[in-house]
PDB file of all heavy atoms in Angstrom:
ATOM      1  N   THR Q  12      11.422 -11.418   1.679  1.00  0.00           N
ATOM      2  CA  THR Q  12      11.079 -10.942   3.032  1.00  0.00           C
ATOM      3  C   THR Q  12       9.730 -10.454   3.206  1.00  0.00           C
ATOM      4  O   THR Q  12       9.005 -10.778   4.214  1.00  0.00           O
ATOM      5  CB  THR Q  12      12.153  -9.800   3.371  1.00  0.00           C
ATOM      6  OG1 THR Q  12      13.466 -10.359   3.286  1.00  0.00           O
ATOM      7  CG2 THR Q  12      11.836  -9.300   4.796  1.00  0.00           C
ATOM      8  N   SER Q  13       9.271  -9.645   2.366  1.00  0.00           N
ATOM      9  CA  SER Q  13       7.919  -8.933   2.461  1.00  0.00           C
ATOM     10  C   SER Q  13       6.798  -9.594   1.715  1.00  0.00           C
ATOM     11  O   SER Q  13       5.695  -9.361   2.044  1.00  0.00           O
ATOM     12  CB  SER Q  13       8.100  -7.467   1.935  1.00  0.00           C
ATOM     13  OG  SER Q  13       9.085  -6.712   2.762  1.00  0.00           O
ATOM     14  N   GLY Q  14       7.115 -10.359   0.645  1.00  0.00           N
ATOM     15  CA  GLY Q  14       6.098 -10.945  -0.154  1.00  0.00           C
ATOM     16  C   GLY Q  14       5.695 -10.050  -1.305  1.00  0.00           C
ATOM     17  O   GLY Q  14       4.812 -10.366  -2.100  1.00  0.00           O
ATOM     18  N   TRP Q  15       6.371  -8.919  -1.454  1.00  0.00           N
ATOM     19  CA  TRP Q  15       6.125  -7.925  -2.509  1.00  0.00           C
ATOM     20  C   TRP Q  15       7.345  -7.052  -2.697  1.00  0.00           C
ATOM     21  O   TRP Q  15       8.137  -6.896  -1.817  1.00  0.00           O
ATOM     22  CB  TRP Q  15       4.870  -7.080  -2.279  1.00  0.00           C
ATOM     23  CG  TRP Q  15       5.040  -6.281  -1.042  1.00  0.00           C
ATOM     24  CD1 TRP Q  15       4.665  -6.560   0.249  1.00  0.00           C
ATOM     25  CD2 TRP Q  15       5.593  -4.925  -0.904  1.00  0.00           C
ATOM     26  NE1 TRP Q  15       5.013  -5.643   1.168  1.00  0.00           N
ATOM     27  CE2 TRP Q  15       5.569  -4.594   0.397  1.00  0.00           C
ATOM     28  CE3 TRP Q  15       6.154  -4.082  -1.831  1.00  0.00           C
ATOM     29  CZ2 TRP Q  15       5.976  -3.375   0.919  1.00  0.00           C
ATOM     30  CZ3 TRP Q  15       6.635  -2.852  -1.328  1.00  0.00           C
ATOM     31  CH2 TRP Q  15       6.548  -2.457   0.033  1.00  0.00           C
ATOM     32  N   VAL Q  16       7.433  -6.436  -3.853  1.00  0.00           N
ATOM     33  CA  VAL Q  16       8.471  -5.426  -4.122  1.00  0.00           C
ATOM     34  C   VAL Q  16       8.073  -4.636  -5.273  1.00  0.00           C
ATOM     35  O   VAL Q  16       7.331  -5.079  -6.092  1.00  0.00           O
ATOM     36  CB  VAL Q  16       9.803  -6.122  -4.392  1.00  0.00           C
ATOM     37  CG1 VAL Q  16       9.841  -6.955  -5.735  1.00  0.00           C
ATOM     38  CG2 VAL Q  16      11.000  -5.080  -4.470  1.00  0.00           C
ATOM     39  N   VAL Q  17       8.383  -3.339  -5.296  1.00  0.00           N
ATOM     40  CA  VAL Q  17       8.050  -2.429  -6.349  1.00  0.00           C
ATOM     41  C   VAL Q  17       9.343  -1.887  -7.000  1.00  0.00           C
ATOM     42  O   VAL Q  17      10.277  -1.502  -6.353  1.00  0.00           O
ATOM     43  CB  VAL Q  17       7.254  -1.143  -5.829  1.00  0.00           C
ATOM     44  CG1 VAL Q  17       7.034  -0.142  -6.906  1.00  0.00           C
ATOM     45  CG2 VAL Q  17       5.912  -1.673  -5.272  1.00  0.00           C
ATOM     46  N   MET Q  18       9.345  -1.947  -8.323  1.00  0.00           N
ATOM     47  CA  MET Q  18      10.400  -1.352  -9.162  1.00  0.00           C
ATOM     48  C   MET Q  18       9.827  -0.152  -9.870  1.00  0.00           C
ATOM     49  O   MET Q  18       8.905  -0.243 -10.644  1.00  0.00           O
ATOM     50  CB  MET Q  18      10.976  -2.382 -10.152  1.00  0.00           C
ATOM     51  CG  MET Q  18      11.783  -3.520  -9.536  1.00  0.00           C
ATOM     52  SD  MET Q  18      10.706  -4.771  -8.841  1.00  0.00           S
ATOM     53  CE  MET Q  18       9.915  -5.329 -10.309  1.00  0.00           C
ATOM     54  N   HIS Q  19      10.477   0.993  -9.575  1.00  0.00           N
ATOM     55  CA  HIS Q  19       9.985   2.213 -10.308  1.00  0.00           C
ATOM     56  C   HIS Q  19      10.567   2.443 -11.629  1.00  0.00           C
ATOM     57  O   HIS Q  19      11.684   2.139 -11.967  1.00  0.00           O
ATOM     58  CB  HIS Q  19      10.324   3.452  -9.356  1.00  0.00           C
ATOM     59  CG  HIS Q  19       9.692   3.352  -7.993  1.00  0.00           C
ATOM     60  ND1 HIS Q  19       8.362   3.506  -7.798  1.00  0.00           N
ATOM     61  CD2 HIS Q  19      10.229   3.076  -6.776  1.00  0.00           C
ATOM     62  CE1 HIS Q  19       8.075   3.340  -6.531  1.00  0.00           C
ATOM     63  NE2 HIS Q  19       9.218   3.083  -5.866  1.00  0.00           N
ATOM     64  N   GLU Q  20       9.721   3.019 -12.547  1.00  0.00           N
ATOM     65  CA  GLU Q  20      10.146   3.395 -13.871  1.00  0.00           C
ATOM     66  C   GLU Q  20      10.733   2.231 -14.684  1.00  0.00           C
ATOM     67  O   GLU Q  20      11.660   2.480 -15.495  1.00  0.00           O
ATOM     68  CB  GLU Q  20      11.129   4.620 -13.748  1.00  0.00           C
ATOM     69  CG  GLU Q  20      10.486   5.844 -13.180  1.00  0.00           C
ATOM     70  CD  GLU Q  20      11.507   6.975 -13.066  1.00  0.00           C
ATOM     71  OE1 GLU Q  20      12.673   6.756 -13.300  1.00  0.00           O
ATOM     72  OE2 GLU Q  20      11.019   8.132 -12.894  1.00  0.00           O
ATOM     73  N   MET Q  21      10.218   1.093 -14.493  1.00  0.00           N
ATOM     74  CA  MET Q  21      10.737  -0.069 -15.313  1.00  0.00           C
ATOM     75  C   MET Q  21      10.306   0.025 -16.802  1.00  0.00           C
ATOM     76  O   MET Q  21      11.142  -0.300 -17.687  1.00  0.00           O
ATOM     77  CB  MET Q  21      10.199  -1.364 -14.646  1.00  0.00           C
ATOM     78  CG  MET Q  21      10.615  -2.588 -15.525  1.00  0.00           C
ATOM     79  SD  MET Q  21      10.423  -4.154 -14.714  1.00  0.00           S
ATOM     80  CE  MET Q  21      11.714  -4.146 -13.578  1.00  0.00           C
ATOM     81  N   PHE Q  22       9.114   0.532 -16.957  1.00  0.00           N
ATOM     82  CA  PHE Q  22       8.610   0.774 -18.327  1.00  0.00           C
ATOM     83  C   PHE Q  22       8.629   2.274 -18.570  1.00  0.00           C
ATOM     84  O   PHE Q  22       8.134   3.060 -17.799  1.00  0.00           O
ATOM     85  CB  PHE Q  22       7.217   0.086 -18.528  1.00  0.00           C
ATOM     86  CG  PHE Q  22       7.198  -1.345 -18.624  1.00  0.00           C
ATOM     87  CD1 PHE Q  22       7.304  -2.172 -17.526  1.00  0.00           C
ATOM     88  CD2 PHE Q  22       7.094  -1.963 -19.799  1.00  0.00           C
ATOM     89  CE1 PHE Q  22       7.318  -3.525 -17.546  1.00  0.00           C
ATOM     90  CE2 PHE Q  22       7.091  -3.370 -19.926  1.00  0.00           C
ATOM     91  CZ  PHE Q  22       7.164  -4.093 -18.843  1.00  0.00           C
ATOM     92  N   SER Q  23       9.016   2.591 -19.806  1.00  0.00           N
ATOM     93  CA  SER Q  23       9.169   4.025 -20.119  1.00  0.00           C
ATOM     94  C   SER Q  23       7.826   4.614 -20.477  1.00  0.00           C
ATOM     95  O   SER Q  23       6.804   3.850 -20.678  1.00  0.00           O
ATOM     96  CB  SER Q  23      10.082   4.120 -21.356  1.00  0.00           C
ATOM     97  OG  SER Q  23       9.473   3.590 -22.561  1.00  0.00           O
ATOM     98  N   ALA Q  24       7.754   5.894 -20.655  1.00  0.00           N
ATOM     99  CA  ALA Q  24       6.480   6.593 -21.055  1.00  0.00           C
ATOM    100  C   ALA Q  24       6.068   6.071 -22.441  1.00  0.00           C
ATOM    101  O   ALA Q  24       4.860   5.849 -22.673  1.00  0.00           O
ATOM    102  CB  ALA Q  24       6.687   8.131 -21.103  1.00  0.00           C
ATOM    103  N   ALA Q  25       7.043   5.799 -23.327  1.00  0.00           N
ATOM    104  CA  ALA Q  25       6.656   5.270 -24.608  1.00  0.00           C
ATOM    105  C   ALA Q  25       6.048   3.819 -24.542  1.00  0.00           C
ATOM    106  O   ALA Q  25       5.140   3.487 -25.159  1.00  0.00           O
ATOM    107  CB  ALA Q  25       7.871   5.226 -25.526  1.00  0.00           C
ATOM    108  N   ASP Q  26       6.636   2.994 -23.639  1.00  0.00           N
ATOM    109  CA  ASP Q  26       6.135   1.689 -23.371  1.00  0.00           C
ATOM    110  C   ASP Q  26       4.633   1.803 -22.890  1.00  0.00           C
ATOM    111  O   ASP Q  26       3.834   1.049 -23.323  1.00  0.00           O
ATOM    112  CB  ASP Q  26       6.979   0.988 -22.274  1.00  0.00           C
ATOM    113  CG  ASP Q  26       8.346   0.668 -22.643  1.00  0.00           C
ATOM    114  OD1 ASP Q  26       8.559   0.411 -23.923  1.00  0.00           O
ATOM    115  OD2 ASP Q  26       9.242   0.584 -21.871  1.00  0.00           O
ATOM    116  N   VAL Q  27       4.457   2.604 -21.957  1.00  0.00           N
ATOM    117  CA  VAL Q  27       3.085   2.792 -21.370  1.00  0.00           C
ATOM    118  C   VAL Q  27       2.117   3.262 -22.460  1.00  0.00           C
ATOM    119  O   VAL Q  27       0.918   2.802 -22.518  1.00  0.00           O
ATOM    120  CB  VAL Q  27       3.045   3.764 -20.199  1.00  0.00           C
ATOM    121  CG1 VAL Q  27       1.727   4.033 -19.645  1.00  0.00           C
ATOM    122  CG2 VAL Q  27       3.918   3.189 -18.982  1.00  0.00           C
ATOM    123  N   ARG Q  28       2.575   4.153 -23.353  1.00  0.00           N
ATOM    124  CA  ARG Q  28       1.620   4.628 -24.412  1.00  0.00           C
ATOM    125  C   ARG Q  28       1.206   3.395 -25.305  1.00  0.00           C
ATOM    126  O   ARG Q  28       0.090   3.312 -25.737  1.00  0.00           O
ATOM    127  CB  ARG Q  28       2.312   5.715 -25.251  1.00  0.00           C
ATOM    128  CG  ARG Q  28       2.273   7.089 -24.555  1.00  0.00           C
ATOM    129  CD  ARG Q  28       2.687   8.220 -25.545  1.00  0.00           C
ATOM    130  NE  ARG Q  28       4.005   8.077 -26.057  1.00  0.00           N
ATOM    131  CZ  ARG Q  28       5.100   8.580 -25.477  1.00  0.00           C
ATOM    132  NH1 ARG Q  28       5.014   9.201 -24.364  1.00  0.00           N
ATOM    133  NH2 ARG Q  28       6.330   8.411 -26.080  1.00  0.00           N
ATOM    134  N   GLU Q  29       2.256   2.602 -25.622  1.00  0.00           N
ATOM    135  CA  GLU Q  29       1.957   1.393 -26.519  1.00  0.00           C
ATOM    136  C   GLU Q  29       1.001   0.454 -25.838  1.00  0.00           C
ATOM    137  O   GLU Q  29       0.153  -0.042 -26.469  1.00  0.00           O
ATOM    138  CB  GLU Q  29       3.250   0.797 -26.830  1.00  0.00           C
ATOM    139  CG  GLU Q  29       3.077  -0.513 -27.808  1.00  0.00           C
ATOM    140  CD  GLU Q  29       2.424  -0.104 -29.096  1.00  0.00           C
ATOM    141  OE1 GLU Q  29       2.412   1.043 -29.522  1.00  0.00           O
ATOM    142  OE2 GLU Q  29       1.950  -1.100 -29.748  1.00  0.00           O
ATOM    143  N   ILE Q  30       1.204   0.227 -24.551  1.00  0.00           N
ATOM    144  CA  ILE Q  30       0.313  -0.602 -23.807  1.00  0.00           C
ATOM    145  C   ILE Q  30      -1.084  -0.093 -23.814  1.00  0.00           C
ATOM    146  O   ILE Q  30      -2.081  -0.786 -24.071  1.00  0.00           O
ATOM    147  CB  ILE Q  30       0.761  -0.846 -22.372  1.00  0.00           C
ATOM    148  CG1 ILE Q  30       2.138  -1.678 -22.368  1.00  0.00           C
ATOM    149  CG2 ILE Q  30      -0.294  -1.625 -21.550  1.00  0.00           C
ATOM    150  CD1 ILE Q  30       2.734  -1.770 -20.969  1.00  0.00           C
ATOM    151  N   LYS Q  31      -1.255   1.242 -23.612  1.00  0.00           N
ATOM    152  CA  LYS Q  31      -2.596   1.870 -23.652  1.00  0.00           C
ATOM    153  C   LYS Q  31      -3.184   1.719 -25.082  1.00  0.00           C
ATOM    154  O   LYS Q  31      -4.367   1.428 -25.205  1.00  0.00           O
ATOM    155  CB  LYS Q  31      -2.445   3.341 -23.400  1.00  0.00           C
ATOM    156  CG  LYS Q  31      -2.209   3.759 -21.954  1.00  0.00           C
ATOM    157  CD  LYS Q  31      -2.096   5.250 -21.782  1.00  0.00           C
ATOM    158  CE  LYS Q  31      -1.908   5.652 -20.341  1.00  0.00           C
ATOM    159  NZ  LYS Q  31      -1.817   7.129 -20.220  1.00  0.00           N
ATOM    160  N   ALA Q  32      -2.416   1.875 -26.162  1.00  0.00           N
ATOM    161  CA  ALA Q  32      -2.921   1.676 -27.462  1.00  0.00           C
ATOM    162  C   ALA Q  32      -3.366   0.258 -27.700  1.00  0.00           C
ATOM    163  O   ALA Q  32      -4.404  -0.015 -28.380  1.00  0.00           O
ATOM    164  CB  ALA Q  32      -1.849   2.119 -28.484  1.00  0.00           C
ATOM    165  N   GLN Q  33      -2.606  -0.653 -27.167  1.00  0.00           N
ATOM    166  CA  GLN Q  33      -3.045  -2.118 -27.368  1.00  0.00           C
ATOM    167  C   GLN Q  33      -4.194  -2.436 -26.521  1.00  0.00           C
ATOM    168  O   GLN Q  33      -5.002  -3.259 -27.031  1.00  0.00           O
ATOM    169  CB  GLN Q  33      -1.766  -3.018 -27.017  1.00  0.00           C
ATOM    170  CG  GLN Q  33      -0.669  -2.866 -27.953  1.00  0.00           C
ATOM    171  CD  GLN Q  33      -0.917  -3.356 -29.354  1.00  0.00           C
ATOM    172  OE1 GLN Q  33      -1.707  -4.255 -29.522  1.00  0.00           O
ATOM    173  NE2 GLN Q  33      -0.265  -2.885 -30.324  1.00  0.00           N
ATOM    174  N   LEU Q  34      -4.384  -1.864 -25.386  1.00  0.00           N
ATOM    175  CA  LEU Q  34      -5.603  -2.041 -24.582  1.00  0.00           C
ATOM    176  C   LEU Q  34      -6.776  -1.591 -25.334  1.00  0.00           C
ATOM    177  O   LEU Q  34      -7.861  -2.185 -25.327  1.00  0.00           O
ATOM    178  CB  LEU Q  34      -5.440  -1.394 -23.239  1.00  0.00           C
ATOM    179  CG  LEU Q  34      -4.496  -2.079 -22.175  1.00  0.00           C
ATOM    180  CD1 LEU Q  34      -4.267  -1.159 -21.034  1.00  0.00           C
ATOM    181  CD2 LEU Q  34      -5.090  -3.435 -21.765  1.00  0.00           C
ATOM    182  N   ALA Q  35      -6.684  -0.351 -25.948  1.00  0.00           N
ATOM    183  CA  ALA Q  35      -7.777   0.228 -26.714  1.00  0.00           C
ATOM    184  C   ALA Q  35      -8.180  -0.718 -27.814  1.00  0.00           C
ATOM    185  O   ALA Q  35      -9.353  -0.915 -28.149  1.00  0.00           O
ATOM    186  CB  ALA Q  35      -7.400   1.674 -27.140  1.00  0.00           C
ATOM    187  N   ARG Q  36      -7.190  -1.220 -28.545  1.00  0.00           N
ATOM    188  CA  ARG Q  36      -7.461  -2.134 -29.666  1.00  0.00           C
ATOM    189  C   ARG Q  36      -8.106  -3.378 -29.157  1.00  0.00           C
ATOM    190  O   ARG Q  36      -9.082  -3.900 -29.751  1.00  0.00           O
ATOM    191  CB  ARG Q  36      -6.188  -2.518 -30.392  1.00  0.00           C
ATOM    192  CG  ARG Q  36      -6.300  -3.315 -31.679  1.00  0.00           C
ATOM    193  CD  ARG Q  36      -5.099  -4.104 -32.026  1.00  0.00           C
ATOM    194  NE  ARG Q  36      -4.813  -5.118 -31.028  1.00  0.00           N
ATOM    195  CZ  ARG Q  36      -5.446  -6.329 -30.930  1.00  0.00           C
ATOM    196  NH1 ARG Q  36      -6.469  -6.590 -31.750  1.00  0.00           N
ATOM    197  NH2 ARG Q  36      -5.047  -7.215 -29.951  1.00  0.00           N
ATOM    198  N   TYR Q  37      -7.638  -3.886 -28.063  1.00  0.00           N
ATOM    199  CA  TYR Q  37      -8.219  -5.117 -27.455  1.00  0.00           C
ATOM    200  C   TYR Q  37      -9.674  -4.903 -27.092  1.00  0.00           C
ATOM    201  O   TYR Q  37     -10.613  -5.709 -27.349  1.00  0.00           O
ATOM    202  CB  TYR Q  37      -7.470  -5.522 -26.239  1.00  0.00           C
ATOM    203  CG  TYR Q  37      -7.628  -6.943 -25.746  1.00  0.00           C
ATOM    204  CD1 TYR Q  37      -6.817  -7.949 -26.146  1.00  0.00           C
ATOM    205  CD2 TYR Q  37      -8.628  -7.300 -24.925  1.00  0.00           C
ATOM    206  CE1 TYR Q  37      -6.881  -9.274 -25.747  1.00  0.00           C
ATOM    207  CE2 TYR Q  37      -8.780  -8.589 -24.453  1.00  0.00           C
ATOM    208  CZ  TYR Q  37      -7.926  -9.607 -24.829  1.00  0.00           C
ATOM    209  OH  TYR Q  37      -8.142 -10.872 -24.402  1.00  0.00           O
ATOM    210  N   ARG Q  38      -9.979  -3.736 -26.563  1.00  0.00           N
ATOM    211  CA  ARG Q  38     -11.352  -3.403 -26.135  1.00  0.00           C
ATOM    212  C   ARG Q  38     -12.239  -3.331 -27.365  1.00  0.00           C
ATOM    213  O   ARG Q  38     -13.338  -3.848 -27.345  1.00  0.00           O
ATOM    214  CB  ARG Q  38     -11.343  -2.081 -25.382  1.00  0.00           C
ATOM    215  CG  ARG Q  38     -12.694  -1.578 -24.970  1.00  0.00           C
ATOM    216  CD  ARG Q  38     -13.386  -2.436 -23.977  1.00  0.00           C
ATOM    217  NE  ARG Q  38     -14.769  -2.173 -23.749  1.00  0.00           N
ATOM    218  CZ  ARG Q  38     -15.143  -1.342 -22.749  1.00  0.00           C
ATOM    219  NH1 ARG Q  38     -14.277  -0.765 -21.907  1.00  0.00           N
ATOM    220  NH2 ARG Q  38     -16.414  -1.098 -22.609  1.00  0.00           N
TER     221      ARG Q  38
END
Side-chain angles (χ1 to χ4, degrees):
T12 299
S13 299
W15 61 270
V16 66
V17 174
M18 288 81 63
H19 298 290
E20 299 180 342
M21 175 169 284
F22 285 79
S23 69
D26 292 332
V27 174
R28 284 194 299 270
E29 180 60 18
I30 294 173
K31 287 181 178 179
Q33 293 293 331
L34 285 170
R36 187 203 65 78
Y37 198 95
R38 176 66 188 266

